[in-house]
Amino acid sequence: MTALVTPFRDGAVDEEALRAHVSWQIENGTQGLVPVGTTGESPTLSHAEHKRVVEICIDEAKGRVPVIAGAGSNCTAEAVELARHAEAAGADAVLVVTPYYNKPTQEGLYEHFKAVNDAIGIPIVIYNIPPRSVVDMSVATMARLYELPNIVGVKDATANLARVSQQRHAMGPDFIQLSGEDMTALAYNAAGGHGCISVVSNVAPRLCAELQGRSLEGDLAGALAVQDRLVPLHDAIFLEPGLAGAKAGLALLGRGTEEVRLPLRPVTEPTKAAIRAAMVHAGLINA
């Protein structure tokens, strides 16, 4: 599944480019779309823009793949509002990040997610990313939340592979575990994960889909061969903020601009050169 970038042109959301990106992703094997997460620059989108991006993504996907709409906020009322909009717009599920900056307790985390659960009737994927939100949802809290009717899984960006096994032990094999980190996505699946919400697949959707497909089918040798092609790109895209790296890669493919919103900036020339070299290594562009 791809954590979609939000294309901009002259400061505004580029709706035509977003539609083209959605269709290109689906045509190249992406099995799910995640608009307006962090990679979609949700912190710098207005509420109206956020909702419009969700609507465009759902409309362009046309039911071909699931859409898991970002609905995260460090304000519970705002998260509820965004989740309700996503449901009304036709999203298949929502992705809700652990509240950032506030540093809530585990009980506060539970009540935040319960409020979203109680407000909607579609599945909720917890997004646990301690490096960004500063708080780590415990396995015990996740297990409590899994007892609620709409909590179905986690996007796990802890980069701690032990968590896959611990969460599987606590919640069972039906709890959906999606890696939130490209470099360790293969190992995540090997430990019991069910897939990845990927940034790199913005640029390399077919390769990332092949990596996931082979790993989930048990073809470790085939998955490793794809991983070997992708490792430099996994590194290069995250030398600076990953969404800026992804936009640089898309620009090299002729599939978008590098425009991002402040306080982010387009990647520097050395990083762009590293991304280009990694794309050549992966076979995405010619030397």
Side-chain angles (χ1 to χ4, degrees):
M1 300 182 178
T2 300
L4 295 171
V5 298
T6 301
F8 298 125
R9 186 172 295 278
D10 300 326
V13 174
D14 187 337
E15 296 194 7
E16 182 179 346
L18 177 58
R19 289 183 181 276
H21 190 48
V22 166
S23 285
W24 183 66
Q25 286 287 317
I26 296 170
E27 289 160 7
N28 281 276
T30 295
Q31 295 184 18
L33 302 170
V34 186
V36 290
T38 309
T39 304
E41 296 182 71
S42 57
T44 53
L45 295 178
S46 69
H47 283 194
E49 288 173 326
H50 181 118
K51 293 173 181 178
R52 182 61 183 150
V53 169
V54 170
E55 291 163 2
I56 292 168
C57 185
I58 292 166
D59 182 64
E60 190 63 30
K62 296 179 172 65
R64 290 175 287 173
V65 298
V67 174
I68 304 175
S73 174
N74 63 341
C75 169
T76 301
E78 185 175 285
V80 166
E81 178 193 349
L82 294 174
R84 283 176 169 159
H85 170 266
E87 180 178 29
D92 298 280
V94 292
L95 179 70
V96 180
V97 71
T98 49
Y100 40 87
Y101 192 79
N102 312 40
K103 298 181 72 173
T105 63
Q106 294 298 311
E107 186 61 28
L109 287 175
Y110 176 82
E111 292 182 12
H112 176 83
F113 280 88
K114 186 178 185 301
V116 179
N117 172 88
D118 293 349
I120 61 173
I122 59 175
I124 298 166
V125 178
I126 298 161
Y127 183 12
N128 192 29
I129 181 166
R132 285 183 183 269
S133 66
V134 194
V135 63
D136 183 5
M137 182 182 288
S138 69
V139 176
T141 299
M142 215 171 285
R144 286 181 68 199
L145 285 170
Y146 190 43
E147 295 173 358
L148 301 176
N150 296 319
I151 306 290
V152 298
V154 64
K155 176 185 177 183
D156 184 342
T158 63
N160 177 1
L161 291 172
R163 289 293 287 267
V164 195
S165 298
Q166 292 164 348
Q167 287 158 185
R168 181 180 172 88
H169 175 74
M171 276 78 79
D174 292 333
F175 182 73
I176 299 166
Q177 298 201 65
L178 302 170
S179 170
E181 199 206 27
D182 280 288
M183 186 65 83
T184 58
L186 174 56
Y188 195 92
N189 285 353
H194 300 93
C196 179
I197 296 178
S198 169
V199 174
V200 174
S201 61
N202 278 284
V203 178
R206 190 171 296 280
L207 282 177
C208 289
E210 183 180 355
L211 172 68
Q212 287 296 312
R214 288 182 180 274
S215 67
L216 293 169
E217 290 164 4
D219 179 9
L220 180 58
L224 279 171
V226 180
Q227 176 85 335
D228 289 342
R229 292 176 62 184
L230 283 171
V231 164
L233 190 59
H234 290 333
D235 274 331
I237 279 182
F238 291 100
L239 288 171
E240 296 179 39
L243 68 92
K247 285 189 171 182
L250 285 166
L252 287 167
L253 291 172
R255 302 202 62 86
T257 72
E258 295 183 58
E259 187 174 338
V260 295
R261 284 185 174 170
L262 289 169
L264 297 182
R265 293 285 299 142
V267 298
T268 58
E269 288 302 320
T271 293
K272 191 183 300 183
I275 292 170
R276 179 180 178 82
M279 292 173 68
V280 170
H281 177 84
L284 300 175
I285 57 176
N286 295 324

